[in-house]
Amino acid sequence: MTTGPAEPTSPTGPAHSAAPDRPTGQDQPDQPSHPNQPNQPDQPDQPSHPNQLAELTATRLTAGYAAGEFSPVEVTRAVLERAEAAQAATNCFTRIDADEALTAAEESAERWRAGAPAGPLDGVPVTVKDLLLTRGTPTLRGSRTVRAEGRWEEDAPSVARLRESGAVFLGKTTTPEFGWKGVTDSPRHGVTGNPYAPGRTAGGSSGGSAAGVALGAGPLSLGTDGGGSVRIPASFCGVFGLKATYGRVPLYPASPFGTLAHVGPMTRDAADAALMLDVITGADWRDWSQLAPAAGSFREALAGPVSGLRVAYSPSLGWDVPVAPAVAAAVRGAVEALAGLGASVEEIDPGIEDPVEAFHTLWFSGAARLVQSLRLDDAQRALLDPGLREICEQGARYSALDYLTAVDARMALGRAMGRFHSAYDLLVTPTEPITAFTAGVEVPPGSGHTRWTGWTPFTYPFNLTQQPAATVPCGVDGEGLPIGVQLIGARHADALVLRAAHALYESGAARIPAPPAP
């Protein structure tokens, strides 16, 4: 069965699944029904129930395939069941391709039986954010202006590398229209809720990916991040997310937001992200800005020590950011865990100013250029998200000199962070100063913010500088909503960021309660 595009949902919570005959939601139990939380390092050696297969990491799945403990078909069936439930609870998918997934799983099972897997992710269920091209499947980008008709013959580079590795594609995950904001709701597919509290936002713009991973709908997902779009939802949904150094993961077509946009893994832990990054960083000539191949395996680099790393802890980047007390306490606890592992920690700010105006100039003008390139008539423009129309109008008013002034500010910020990282290996901040707020709105009610950038000051600066940045769950607030800590490295220091994140998982500092079973 192939499930087509979901109908729009209510802005107060996820009301519909991707198929009209599915239930619109279920009561949530107080405690998760599965013992193996998606972001826990300890997982059972022998899953005792088929449902537990949906809880296993990609690393554990491939080990189980190799040992003959279970097959890709069994796993895919379990994960598809979880995907259907996740969709009903949170509206995290634009489509679920069950028939295609099971066919791919059967082919993978044959390869494993023959002792010839196609690659390190053979038989592992994955999902793809609906901004990235996927061969044979429409990429609708959350917009009513995109037509589903067509042959859809190309894979994005990261999707192509996953396909070559034998990954099993489950479906496409929700995004706001063209990924323009830090929450996930769109005119085409409606609102995506948080797995911990469906009336709260999953974050964005990779909100569907984060919610799906948190609820067991595949251990791996491909997200994109132009101003925090991997890290925001990963933090709000209690999973791991990495924005790799710009160019580390090839991207095609080029993002309308230019060199702000990155592709990155969204997973249950840092080890899975390293495994996924080893695959998706494969070269692709379609991206003229891709980096040279990494010097070694990201997965092998996890074994390196944290002891001796120079860590700068900045609670607010030195700005007037009101960080929620529960967030501040949880992030400080993660920093103390790094110190306990032997890192040398100093509380210090990087000495940079908030670059939000430069970011807005680049982001809004990118949105304006995107909509211009679509050649929409007035009736089609009326179909766009009203907030997107607003930033397009603002972006169209910028001059070339405004744009170049923003580029100058970006370069100055990059130099400042380069100088900072000559003294410190990692910068650690909260990922977000808050936890998930009401779903279906761009900014927290009563916050006074007018745009999504107002409540996520810790993420977009590092898109301007193109640095690797990851978010690791480090606790929950008084309402049980996840909190993330952000680890930022110098450009090209992806392996170091992953190593520090992996150490937090191994130490237990990244362990948080699982979301209620959908």
Side-chain angles (χ1 to χ4, degrees), residues 325-491:
V327 172
V331 171
R332 186 173 292 275
V335 171
E336 291 171 353
L338 288 172
L341 293 168
S344 174
V345 177
E346 179 180 354
E347 185 167 334
I348 185 171
D349 299 320
I352 57 176
E353 296 182 357
D354 186 353
V356 69
E357 293 305 322
F359 181 82
H360 281 171
T361 300
L362 300 173
W363 192 257
F364 296 174
S365 57
R369 173 58 186 143
L370 165 66
V371 171
Q372 180 191 61
S373 70
L374 296 174
R375 302 182 183 276
L376 305 178
D377 59 28
D378 289 345
Q380 291 170 317
R381 288 183 70 90
L383 298 175
L384 295 173
D385 183 326
L388 176 58
R389 288 202 305 271
E390 289 175 9
I391 70 164
C392 288
E393 290 166 4
Q394 183 172 343
R397 293 193 292 268
Y398 291 127
S399 69
L401 288 179
D402 293 330
Y403 191 92
L404 291 174
T405 299
V407 171
D408 285 343
R410 181 182 191 177
M411 291 189 293
L413 179 64
R415 287 193 300 272
M417 289 308 302
R419 180 172 60 250
F420 185 77
H421 281 290
S422 69
Y424 298 96
D425 299 304
L426 288 175
L427 171 63
V428 179
T429 73
T431 307
E432 295 301 328
I434 57 175
T435 54
F437 52 89
T438 305
V441 295
E442 183 184 347
V443 301
S447 66
H449 299 307
T450 56
R451 291 269 79 101
W452 62 271
T453 44
W455 53 264
T456 181
F458 300 126
T459 59
Y460 59 78
F462 306 106
N463 292 82
L464 289 165
T465 60
Q466 303 186 339
Q467 296 172 242
T471 182
V472 178
C474 62
V476 295
D477 69 4
E479 296 181 90
L481 296 169
I483 295 165
V485 59
Q486 182 174 220
L487 310 180
I488 304 144
R491 289 182 76 241

Side-chain angles (χ1 to χ4, degrees), residues 22-415:
R22 291 196 201 122
T24 59
Q26 300 177 17
D27 292 337
Q28 303 295 321
D30 292 333
Q31 297 296 329
S33 62
H34 49 282
N36 308 300
Q37 300 165 8
N39 44 19
Q40 278 195 201
D42 49 325
Q43 299 187 43
D45 291 333
Q46 295 289 338
S48 59
H49 188 276
N51 189 49
Q52 289 188 357
L53 295 174
E55 301 293 339
L56 301 182
T57 63
T59 303
R60 178 67 181 88
L61 288 177
T62 53
Y65 297 157
E69 297 175 41
F70 41 78
S71 79
V73 175
E74 293 174 277
V75 169
T76 299
R77 289 189 186 280
V79 171
L80 283 170
E81 181 179 341
R82 197 64 75 83
E84 296 280 352
Q87 171 62 12
T90 66
N91 187 40
C92 55
F93 283 95
T94 65
R95 63 185 295 124
I96 297 171
D97 296 320
D99 291 343
E100 292 85 343
L102 287 168
T103 297
E106 289 164 359
E107 293 169 352
S108 173
E110 288 291 336
R111 291 190 293 270
W112 280 105
R113 279 193 290 268
L121 295 178
D122 202 340
V124 175
V126 301
T127 58
V128 178
K129 183 180 181 180
D130 197 31
L131 292 184
L132 294 167
L133 293 178
T134 308
R135 192 178 72 219
T137 301
T139 299
L140 302 174
R141 302 196 283 179
S143 180
R144 291 183 288 177
T145 68
V146 176
R147 297 181 60 186
E149 298 83 359
R151 300 180 67 178
W152 300 101
E153 294 179 323
E154 280 193 289
D155 280 331
S158 50
V159 175
R161 301 293 86 77
L162 289 173
R163 197 182 299 278
E164 291 164 3
S165 188
V168 172
F169 293 98
L170 299 176
K172 305 296 285 287
T173 59
T174 50
T175 175
E177 192 163 26
F178 303 115
W180 80 270
K181 59 185 175 180
V183 294
T184 299
D185 59 74
S186 74
R188 184 158 198 154
H189 296 118
V191 179
T192 297
N194 191 291
Y196 283 80
R200 304 292 183 96
T201 182
S205 60
S206 306
S209 289
V213 169
L215 290 173
L220 308 178
S221 192
L222 276 175
T224 65
D225 190 317
S229 290
V230 161
R231 290 159 290 153
I232 296 166
S235 178
F236 280 179
C237 295
V239 300
F240 181 78
L242 172 69
K243 177 186 75 68
T245 300
Y246 179 80
R248 176 61 60 208
V249 182
L251 178 62
Y252 170 85
S255 169
F257 302 108
T259 57
L260 294 172
H262 306 55
V263 178
M266 303 181 73
T267 61
R268 293 182 182 152
D269 60 22
D272 267 11
L275 176 63
M276 192 176 185
L277 201 61
D278 277 341
V279 172
I280 63 176
T281 53
D284 194 298
W285 59 266
R286 294 173 293 174
D287 183 354
W288 63 271
S289 62
Q290 65 183 309
L291 297 177
S297 163
F298 293 106
R299 188 179 182 191
E300 292 176 0
L302 297 176
V306 171
S307 178
L309 287 182
R310 302 165 299 171
V311 174
Y313 166 46
S314 178
S316 66
L317 289 177
W319 308 337
D320 186 21
V321 177
V323 178
V327 172
V331 171
R332 186 173 292 275
V335 171
E336 291 171 353
L338 288 172
L341 293 168
S344 174
V345 177
E346 179 180 354
E347 185 167 334
I348 185 171
D349 299 320
I352 57 176
E353 296 182 357
D354 186 353
V356 69
E357 293 305 322
F359 181 82
H360 281 171
T361 300
L362 300 173
W363 192 257
F364 296 174
S365 57
R369 173 58 186 143
L370 165 66
V371 171
Q372 180 191 61
S373 70
L374 296 174
R375 302 182 183 276
L376 305 178
D377 59 28
D378 289 345
Q380 291 170 317
R381 288 183 70 90
L383 298 175
L384 295 173
D385 183 326
L388 176 58
R389 288 202 305 271
E390 289 175 9
I391 70 164
C392 288
E393 290 166 4
Q394 183 172 343
R397 293 193 292 268
Y398 291 127
S399 69
L401 288 179
D402 293 330
Y403 191 92
L404 291 174
T405 299
V407 171
D408 285 343
R410 181 182 191 177
M411 291 189 293
L413 179 64
R415 287 193 300 272

